[in-house]
Amino acid sequence: PPPRSSPPSQALPAVHAQAFEAAKGFAGLSHTFSFENTTTCTVRALVSEDPEGLTSAMAGTARLGGELGDPMGVGLNVVVKQQRSGARAPVDITLQPGMSKSIEMSSSTIFVMAAFNMDGQFKFICENRSLSPRTTMSFLDRHLQDPEEKWLRASTLRQAFEIRNSAHKYVGPPLAA
């Protein structure tokens, strides 16, 4: 009988993507994040970088010959730390119905607060949702139909956020002014 071939591993591309994103971060390059609005309503979002993600570090150890405790063995220990320029103000994104958009950010993790916006009112989709590079956050009709969220009258997304959370304690990262 002919030899059977096994299906290709699905984990390998993910590992390559993670390694690629880690290398980009170490080199100080930006990461790509994508958003798509498949609804008939405008979406407003505030995107913040992860303050922890703005610091990258690399460490490694190598030994040639001998045991780890052997003084005659050869050792190498490398530690590299890189501090980027610090947190930036959140990025304000507007997605009209049917629109897609990609943004570049320095951090390898971002946090998204998003709401539908119609006639001076906001209806929250998510608050403090993390997003990894090379992924797409989609805003769908089912989010628009969520009965748990109410429409709030406000002039900005930040104001709607403050109104929404005036009775609740917010536990996410601080919002920049």
Side-chain angles (χ1 to χ4, degrees), residues 29-141:
L29 301 174
S30 60
H31 302 277
T32 303
F33 301 88
S34 299
F35 303 87
E36 70 175 347
N37 178 7
T38 63
T39 71
T40 58
C41 190
T42 300
V43 172
R44 299 290 308 266
L46 282 176
V47 180
S48 302
E49 292 187 288
D50 176 13
E52 295 292 322
L54 293 172
T55 304
S56 60
M58 176 184 281
T61 301
R63 289 208 63 77
L64 299 173
E67 296 294 319
L68 189 59
D70 183 359
M72 297 303 288
V74 177
L76 171 68
N77 187 13
V78 176
V79 177
V80 178
K81 292 187 178 183
Q82 176 183 19
Q83 175 68 45
R84 297 210 186 104
S85 58
R88 293 174 189 83
V91 175
D92 188 2
I93 297 174
T94 300
L95 292 169
Q96 297 300 330
M99 183 179 173
S100 296
K101 185 174 196 167
S102 293
I103 61 170
E104 299 287 324
M105 302 289 275
S106 296
S107 179
S108 60
T109 302
I110 60 172
F111 292 97
V112 180
M113 173 176 34
F116 293 108
N117 180 218
M118 183 170 52
D119 300 327
Q121 297 183 76
F122 292 86
K123 183 174 186 175
F124 278 84
I125 304 164
C126 63
E127 161 185 329
N128 200 29
R129 171 109 17 107
S130 64
L131 187 63
S132 299
R134 301 177 66 166
T135 57
T136 300
M137 179 176 276
S138 298
F139 305 109
L140 310 170
D141 281 325

